[in-house]
Amino acid sequence: MAAALQWRFGTCIVVADAIQARKDLFNEIPDASVAVSSLPFRSFPDTVAVQVITLLRDFLLTSPKRRLVQYTYGQRVPFDSPHKTLIWKRQELILRNVPPAWVWTLQQSGSGIKPIP
């Protein structure tokens, strides 16, 4: 997936690595950055999930222009919002994926998205 993203969006920086191992990536990145993930948060041990979710929270709270795009097989949010201003929005169901996958975004509520009912 990383190679396909790099080919399609050649001017962006694509990093295929464990987020907790690359905390340095969050230093001096543009405000309008997007993190793309298909991590199975609900399958992770709590210690790993909390660590990654905390890094994502800090990344998203730095700028209202940032967002997380999360691919998941579940119909519910990938993980509970880590901050009261971060809101999940279900984007679409990809039926051509086997099994079908949901696309979710997480970003600050002041960025023009509405909470999921």
Side-chain angles (χ1 to χ4, degrees):
M1 183 176 179
L5 287 171
Q6 187 67 61
W7 179 82
R8 185 171 179 194
F9 304 102
T11 59
C12 70
I13 298 169
V14 177
V15 178
D17 202 351
I19 190 172
Q20 64 271 34
R22 295 299 310 270
K23 294 177 188 178
D24 62 301
L25 294 174
F26 295 108
N27 299 331
E28 301 179 26
I29 59 175
D31 282 348
S33 295
V34 176
V36 179
S37 168
S38 60
L39 295 172
F41 285 97
R42 297 196 182 275
S43 300
F44 282 162
D46 286 344
T47 55
V48 174
V50 167
Q51 186 179 21
V52 174
I53 292 167
T54 299
L55 286 169
L56 290 169
R57 179 201 65 203
D58 295 347
F59 163 76
L60 294 170
L61 290 176
T62 303
S63 171
K65 295 179 181 180
R66 292 184 179 177
R67 65 184 163 145
L68 167 66
V69 175
Q70 175 71 33
Y71 297 88
T72 184
Y73 298 121
Q75 294 184 23
R76 61 184 181 166
V77 297
F79 54 86
D80 293 336
S81 177
H83 192 271
K84 63 183 178 181
T85 64
L86 296 175
I87 306 295
W88 281 108
K89 182 177 180 185
R90 187 172 46 218
Q91 298 295 328
E92 64 180 300
L93 175 62
I94 309 298
L95 293 172
R96 292 183 0 190
N97 195 69
V98 178
W102 287 97
V103 178
W104 292 82
T105 57
L106 180 65
Q107 64 191 111
Q108 290 186 42
S109 59
S111 55
I113 62 172
K114 296 183 185 251
I116 298 169

